[in-house]
Amino acid sequence: MTGGLAVYRLCRYFSAAVLLFYGFAKINGAQFTVLDSELDKPMGKVSGFRLTWHHFGFSPVFGTPIAVGQIVLALLLCWRRTTLLASCIGLGMMTVILLIDVTHGVDFQGTAMASLTAASLGFIVAQHRLRLHDGLPIWRPIGTTSLRGRPLNQDTENLGALAPQERTNICRHI
């Protein structure tokens, strides 16, 4: 892992706190709720942000899995073994939230928080780029080494000594 360990931990726990906060906000009804004053307005005068929240808040079946997902991701970010998995999934989730914020006119604070959280998760994923690259051998030709200069595994170390059909069979299972 490259980069400062303190920055890495800060990004990890910051992202966990934000995801936990927003997950519980959805469960408690602080998010995806529609104000009665907004219901009295004609549709043409309602902001894109309020329309979005009205749409997402229409069904509790939609908001609850998102909230539970955010809470689970926040908890997974707290353990080192599950940080990469949670960061990859959380980065995808925060990217979608950020796109909704930008395209639907969500206020600056919400967009800034989503941007900062997505950037933090992106930093975490970037710190694991060697693990990700080494873990996905389908992108490399047969017989290559990892980014760290080591052979990928024992099956690919001596591929030159195998018949072409055997090489193909080994590479299908990697």
Side-chain angles (χ1 to χ4, degrees), residues 98-112:
L98 186 58
L99 286 171
I100 291 170
D101 287 357
V102 169
T103 57
H104 290 77
V106 175
D107 62 341
F108 176 75
Q109 291 174 336
T111 305

Side-chain angles (χ1 to χ4, degrees), residues 43-123:
M43 285 297 266
K45 298 203 183 225
V46 178
S47 68
F49 168 68
R50 291 292 173 193
L51 283 173
T52 303
W53 274 42
H54 182 68
H55 175 72
F56 289 146
F58 180 75
S59 170
V61 175
F62 178 78
T64 303
I66 292 174
V68 170
Q70 287 177 328
I71 292 168
V72 168
L73 288 176
L75 294 175
L76 290 176
L77 279 168
C78 294
W79 282 276
R80 286 184 323 173
R81 287 187 177 259
T82 55
T83 297
L84 180 58
L85 174 68
S87 297
C88 289
I89 296 170
L91 182 59
M93 179 185 282
M94 291 310 297
T95 302
V96 170
I97 290 171
L98 186 58
L99 286 171
I100 291 170
D101 287 357
V102 169
T103 57
H104 290 77
V106 175
D107 62 341
F108 176 75
Q109 291 174 336
T111 305
M113 188 58 71
S115 300
L116 194 56
T117 307
S120 295
L121 291 168
F123 177 79

Side-chain angles (χ1 to χ4, degrees), residues 128-137 139-140 145-147:
H128 292 274
R129 65 187 173 278
L130 292 177
R131 272 181 70 194
L132 287 171
H133 189 274
D134 289 350
L136 301 172
W139 292 343
R140 291 182 296 277
T145 59
S146 70
L147 286 179

